[in-house]
Amino acid sequence: MLDLLIHNATLPDGRTNMSVAVQAGRIAEVTEGLSPAAAPAKETVDAGGLLLSTPFVDAHFHMDATLSLGLPRLNASGTLLEGIALWGELKPHLTFDALVQRALAYCDWAVANGLLAIRSHVDTSDASMLAVEALLAVKKKVAPYIDLQLVAFPQDGVLRSKGGVENLKKALSLGVDVVGGIPHFERTMADGADSVKLLCELAAEQGKLVDMHCDESDDPLSRHIETLAFEANRLGLHGRVTGSHLTSMHSMDNYYVSKLLPLMAEAQISVVSNPLINITLQGRHDTYPKRRGMTRVPEIMAAGMTVAFGQDCCMDPWYSMGSGDMLEVASMGLHVAQMTSQAAMAQCFDAVTKNPARILHLEGYGLEAGCNADFVLLQAQNPVEALRLKATRLKVWRRGTLVAQTPARTAALSLPGRPAHTSFLHTK
Ligand code: FE2
């Protein structure tokens, strides 16, 4: 007997009337029209024709800063640099317990939203390793329900801050998974390039993935992505290096970008764009027209690279909004990048599901036999409708076990000649 059978589901690739059979936490079979009579299971769920997806994945977050909004004060200018300064003011007041409690609260929101894998940067600038130790504890605690991958992130600049390299190495030795960086925050372009070289060499030596905050600026001459791609090529780190933000690409000269994209593609660089944050933090020095400041998502996708949309911030020194809703993130990306064709909207859904899963090198992610039985049942009929409605996560499963559920959205109307209840679905 199966542990779980979900039948009458629509899958993100458009297949309908699909059944997913689960045994021992893994997918046993994905097939069309398998009925509960033909496949008895301890638990059977009729998806009612709605969308059953793999879980959402966030490839870029800061869990050490989340839910700290207003501590010790609010960001008055709304700029990236004031956010960094504010985080510096908060750091001396951080405690292990408060860091853990805030992170766990966010993880609860994440699970409710069907977000079951997160790559979080953790600030390694502080020699005490307080935030690193706290997030390593959180990683262990949430492991049954969230894959939390940590990036050693030298927020104050690995070369710019005293002991930056040693602290980052210490974080890696404690168990942090990925090498981070912030070349545009080093004191000079040359230091930025040196930091990229040094950090990529460190990752190659230790067999780690790389994910750098790179060129988070409106300066078209911020070109550290070029060095990152060059180093990835030189060191054989193909498919293992991610450039996060890349907002300067928005403002770069088109001819230069036509030369840059093939270099990035050759190195198989992955890209994480953070639309909610980029649209609010970038362009702050502009009058009108104001730049959007988001990287060239459709063009990077068209060049064959993997692109994800990340949440980045939630109620922290940089951003007072956010809720761990990756459909909100993807919807903003869709609008800012004008990805409005049916195919492009489907790509936006992929950018918060399978693309970030590939970037994190997640094992067992997918909707086929042998993959982990991790799913989200959405109150939507397809990915485009899920984006339009920021669809309710009716049920969330992790390894075949139900971990969250939310009632369907309906409105009780009292209109003459109209049904008493209406859902928000567009039914044919
Ligand atoms: Fe970030």
Side-chain angles (χ1 to χ4, degrees):
M1 180 178 275
L2 294 167
D3 290 334
L4 170 67
L5 178 72
I6 306 168
H7 66 105
N8 193 20
T10 298
L11 303 186
D13 62 10
R15 285 179 289 166
T16 57
N17 192 28
M18 296 301 291
S19 301
V20 180
V22 173
Q23 189 75 55
R26 290 189 176 271
I27 299 175
E29 189 180 8
V30 178
T31 187
E32 191 182 343
L34 189 62
S35 71
K42 289 176 199 155
E43 190 194 351
T44 298
V45 174
D46 182 349
L50 297 176
L51 178 63
L52 184 74
S53 172
T54 46
F56 296 106
V57 179
D58 183 2
H60 191 113
F61 194 61
H62 294 264
M63 206 172 276
D64 50 359
T66 196
L67 305 189
S68 66
L69 183 67
L71 298 175
R73 62 179 176 84
L74 292 166
N75 183 333
S77 67
T79 60
L80 171 68
L81 293 181
E82 185 175 344
I84 294 174
L86 187 45
W87 174 238
E89 290 171 37
L90 173 57
K91 274 198 264 189
H93 305 289
L94 292 174
T95 66
F96 182 90
D97 288 347
L99 280 161
V100 169
Q101 287 315 312
R102 287 197 289 262
L104 289 177
Y106 183 81
C107 287
D108 287 351
W109 295 4
V111 172
N113 277 319
L115 169 55
L116 301 187
I118 300 173
R119 173 182 277 183
S120 175
H121 296 254
V122 52
D123 189 354
T124 59
S125 304
D126 183 1
S128 77
M129 295 287 117
L130 179 71
V132 170
E133 303 270 18
L135 287 200
L136 284 168
V138 170
K139 176 180 167 150
K140 211 168 169 185
K141 191 151 178 110
V142 303
Y145 49 95
I146 290 180
D147 293 302
L148 177 58
Q149 189 178 78
L150 299 178
V151 185
F153 174 49
Q155 172 74 78
D156 298 337
V158 73
L159 297 179
R160 178 173 176 162
S161 64
K162 197 164 165 281
V165 178
E166 290 71 27
N167 293 340
L168 187 136
K169 283 183 176 170
K170 198 169 164 191
L172 296 176
S173 72
L174 289 172
V176 171
D177 310 280
V178 181
V179 176
I182 185 165
H184 56 275
F185 196 65
E186 303 292 352
R187 300 311 297 269
T188 64
M189 286 293 180
D191 274 3
D194 285 349
S195 77
V196 171
K197 183 167 182 280
L198 177 155
L199 292 164
C200 285
E201 285 174 353
L202 183 62
E205 261 170 49
Q206 299 198 12
K208 303 275 191 189
L209 300 175
V210 176
D211 187 341
M212 289 194 199
H213 284 66
C214 194
D215 302 322
E216 189 179 1
S217 152
D218 294 316
D219 174 7
L221 297 178
S222 186
R223 294 175 169 186
H224 296 296
I225 180 57
E226 179 186 89
T227 309
L228 187 63
F230 178 83
E231 290 299 326
N233 257 330
R234 180 176 75 84
L235 295 162
L237 293 171
H238 302 86
R240 301 179 62 80
V241 175
T242 300
S244 277
H245 291 295
L246 307 185
T247 52
S248 74
M249 284 185 73
H250 185 95
S251 300
M252 282 176 184
D253 170 73
N254 286 336
Y255 175 78
Y256 174 71
V257 172
S258 75
K259 181 167 167 277
L260 175 63
L261 284 175
L263 175 68
M264 290 167 63
E266 189 185 334
Q268 296 168 32
I269 296 287
S270 298
V271 172
V272 183
S273 171
N274 300 297
L276 295 167
I277 307 310
N278 300 153
I279 197 77
T280 46
L281 293 183
Q282 302 305 315
R284 289 275 177 166
H285 295 269
D286 294 350
T287 54
Y288 287 94
K290 287 180 191 283
R291 280 168 287 188
R292 299 172 185 211
M294 194 171 87
T295 197
R296 304 186 186 207
V297 172
E299 292 79 7
I300 296 169
M301 285 179 168
M305 284 170 271
T306 302
V307 182
F309 288 131
Q311 168 83 61
D312 196 3
C313 299
C314 177
M315 300 185 71
D316 68 10
W318 295 273
Y319 188 59
S320 54
M321 307 294 284
S323 63
D325 180 352
M326 297 309 293
L327 285 171
E328 183 193 18
V329 171
S331 175
M332 178 59 82
L334 180 159
H335 286 83
V336 177
Q338 299 179 333
M339 294 176 69
T340 51
S341 71
Q342 291 294 310
M345 289 191 283
Q347 283 180 310
C348 290
F349 188 83
D350 291 347
V352 289
T353 51
K354 62 187 187 184
N355 293 1
R358 195 177 307 134
I359 290 172
L360 267 65
H361 289 221
L362 275 187
E363 284 176 14
Y365 184 93
L367 267 180
E368 55 190 68
C371 291
N372 294 326
D374 299 348
F375 319 108
V376 187
L377 180 63
L378 293 151
Q379 193 189 359
Q381 296 177 98
N382 53 57
V384 171
E385 193 166 62
L387 286 164
R388 181 175 69 81
L389 297 174
K390 323 295 177 294
T392 300
R393 284 66 166 174
L394 298 170
K395 290 178 188 290
V396 181
W397 289 271
R398 169 84 167 179
R399 308 295 191 257
T401 300
L402 189 68
V403 290
Q405 52 188 331
T406 306
R409 262 174 90 201
T410 55
L413 301 181
S414 307
L415 299 175
R418 301 296 300 151
H421 293 274
T422 187
S423 84
F424 294 87
L425 299 186
H426 173 64
T427 47
K428 293 173 205 104

